[in-house]
Structure formats: structure tokens, C-alpha cells
């Protein structure tokens, strides 16, 4: 696995680290008490990372069973073209959704999740772990960065131990920002509270737009991946230019 691939995986993991379950809920937990208990936060983040790891292992197993067919399809002009089209749709959708505006008020559903997170900060660890699993399941439909990362790992044909280590590394990077916020909260608990309040307000307001821009990032990566079988970005531009020229000549 070369450095560009590692860099792409790290970028995807950092994109995943800004999601509802990996950053917004941890911020809520940090704000639930002036002195949060690190053990509870570690249980929550460990459950999230473990859930992602199990899901990634299952998806990787399924992908390996279909690896040859999947690689051949991606390497074909048809497969590359499909990836490019999907990437363009995701990118355009992200731009439209990201610029859609809105009043920025949190939805009732988001407020209920916040109440549940704050309520799980006390008492048994079971509600906290259930919250982590529920947040992961809620995000399955938007696991685009993780799905792309798994595809990259499978295409690299790594040995199983190295593949598993890469998945573990991805999940650790994914929860790293929340871990750093936990350390800062413990070291400078009162001084950092205004910052956490601002992060909370911004994330709560931008929750939908963050998902859109993550989709846009995945769209760019899919365009880059799919353009390879059709001659790279230059070949893609040439194909689009030729297609537009042909349509204009018909007119």
C-alpha cells in the first residue's frame, strides 16, 4: 500500500470523524458535565469504532468473495463510466444541498438524540453502548467514505492481517478528533467549554450540510477512480468535450 493510498484512507477517515455519531454526540457528552468521566467516553467511542470495524469486516468479506468480478468491472470503461456518473451526481447533490440554506434550527429528532445522549451520561454503561450502536446503525445509509475506503483496501489485495490492521487504523483515526477533544476537556475543562459550545452550535446547525459535503468528497474520489479506465481526468474531459461537440453539430 503506497503513500497516496494511505493518505486517501486517512482523508476518508477524517471525513467520517465529523459525522453525527463520531463527533456531535461526543461533544454533547463532553458538555453534559463540567468534568466528564473519561471511562464513559472511551466506552462510547470504543463501541462506535468496534461497530464500524465489525461492519467493515463483513463488507470486506463480501467484497473479497466478488473481488475478481468487481475489479474487472471497475477497470472496464463501462464500470469507470458508472463510477464517474455516480461521483458527479454526489458532487452536484452536495453543492445543491450545501447551498440550500435554511434557518439553522435543530430538528426535533436531533433534539431528542441530544436528550438521549445527555441522559446516558449517568448510570449504567448499557444505555451509553446502546446509543453508540444506534448512532452507527443510523449512519449506515451515509457511510460513503467508509464504503469507498473498503473498496480501496479490497482493490489493493492486501493480506488479511494487513487488511484488518488497516481497518483498525481507519476506525482509530475516525474517533481521534473526539479523543483529542476529551483530552483538552480534561486538561482545561472550564477554559475549553466556550469552544465546545461553539462547536456544538455549529455542528447542530450544519448537521445536514456536513453529510452533503462528505458525499461531495466521495463524489470527487469516485470521479478520480472511475476516470482511470477511460484515460484519466484528461480523457474524461476529452470525452465530455467530444460529446458536447457532437450534440452541437447535430443541432
Amino acid at each position: 500500500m503506497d503513500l497516496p493510498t494511505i493518505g486517501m484512507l486517512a482523508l476518508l477517515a477524517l471525513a467520517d470523524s465529523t459525522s453525527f455519531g463520531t463527533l456531535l454526540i461526543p461533544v454533547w457528552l463532553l458538555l453534559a458535565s463540567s468534568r466528564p468521566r473519561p471511562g464513559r467516553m472511551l466506552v462510547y467511542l470504543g463501541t462506535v469504532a468496534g461497530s464500524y470495524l465489525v461492519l467493515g469486516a463483513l463488507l470486506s468479506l463480501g467484497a473479497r468473495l466478488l473481488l475478481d468480478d468487481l475489479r474487472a468491472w471497475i477497470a472496464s470503461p463501462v464500470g469507470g463510466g458508472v463510477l464517474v456518473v455516480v461521483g458527479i451526481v454526489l458532487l452536484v447533490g452536495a453543492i445543491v444541498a450545501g447551498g440550500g440554506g435554511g434557518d439553522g434550527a435543530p430538528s426535533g429528532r436531533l433534539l431528542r438524540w441530544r436528550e438521549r445522549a445527555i441522559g446516558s451520561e449517568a448510570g449504567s454503561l448499557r444505555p451509553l453502548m446502546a446509543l453508540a450502536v444506534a448512532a452507527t446503525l443510523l449512519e449506515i445509509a451515509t457511510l460513503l467514505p467508509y464504503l469507498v475506503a473498503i473498496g480501496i483496501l479490497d482493490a489493493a489485495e492486501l493480506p488479511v492481517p494487513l487488511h484488518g490492521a488497516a481497518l483498525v487504523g481507519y476506525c482509530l483515526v475516525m474517533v481521534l478528533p473526539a479523543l483529542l477533544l476529551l483530552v483538552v476537556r480534561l486538561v482545561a475543562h472550564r477554559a475549553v467549554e466556550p469552544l465546545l459550545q461553539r462547536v456544538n452550535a455549529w455542528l447542530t446547525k450544519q448537521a445536514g450540510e456536513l453529510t452533503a459535503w462528505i458525499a461531495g468528497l466521495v463524489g470527487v474520489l469516485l470521479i478520480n477512480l472511475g476516470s482511470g479506465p477511460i484515460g484519466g481526468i484528461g480523457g474524461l474531459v476529452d470525452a465530455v468535450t467530444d460529446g458536447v461537440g457532437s450534440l452541437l453539430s447535430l443541432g
Side-chain angles (χ1 to χ4, degrees):
M1 191 161 53
D2 55 16
L3 284 178
T5 301
I6 295 174
M8 186 175 294
L9 291 173
L11 181 63
L12 289 166
L14 288 174
D16 257 335
S17 74
T18 63
S19 72
F20 174 72
T22 55
L23 190 57
L24 184 53
I25 289 181
V27 168
W28 290 341
L29 293 175
L30 290 175
L31 288 171
S33 171
S34 60
R35 285 193 176 277
R37 288 172 284 181
R40 299 184 70 85
M41 177 66 86
L42 292 177
V43 167
Y44 173 83
L45 293 176
T47 304
V48 169
S51 300
Y52 268 77
L53 184 59
V54 170
L55 180 61
L58 292 175
L59 291 173
S60 295
L61 177 61
R64 284 191 172 236
L65 294 176
L66 302 172
L67 186 59
D68 292 337
D69 293 337
L70 183 61
R71 187 187 299 109
W73 181 77
I74 291 175
S76 69
V78 173
V82 170
L83 291 181
V84 168
V85 170
V86 172
I88 291 174
V89 170
L90 288 174
L91 182 57
V92 172
I95 293 172
V96 173
D103 59 10
S107 66
R109 184 181 183 186
L110 197 60
L111 292 175
R112 287 192 296 272
W113 274 95
R114 181 164 61 188
E115 291 172 2
R116 183 176 176 184
I118 294 174
S120 68
E121 175 61 15
S124 169
L125 291 176
R126 188 173 299 174
L128 191 64
M129 297 173 69
L131 175 67
V133 173
T136 302
L137 293 176
L138 179 69
E139 293 178 328
I140 285 180
T142 58
L143 292 182
L144 293 174
Y146 198 35
L147 293 176
V148 173
I150 290 170
I152 292 172
L153 288 173
D154 288 329
E157 293 188 288
L158 300 174
V160 173
L162 187 55
H163 186 109
L167 282 178
V168 171
Y170 184 100
C171 293
L172 289 176
V173 172
M174 184 182 67
V175 298
L176 183 59
L179 288 173
L180 292 176
L181 285 177
L182 172 62
V183 172
V184 173
R185 178 66 159 159
L186 292 173
V187 173
H189 58 100
R190 293 196 180 279
V192 79
E193 184 163 346
L195 173 62
L196 287 175
Q197 292 286 4
R198 288 195 295 270
V199 170
N200 170 51
W202 187 82
L203 286 174
T204 301
K205 180 181 178 181
Q206 305 293 336
E209 291 189 14
L210 280 175
T211 300
W213 287 111
I214 289 173
L217 170 64
V218 173
V220 172
L221 295 175
L222 287 179
I223 292 170
N224 181 62
L225 179 64
S227 63
I230 52 180
I233 297 296
L236 175 62
V237 172
D238 290 341
V240 172
T241 303
D242 292 342
V244 172
S246 298
L247 289 175
L248 291 175
S249 64
L250 290 174

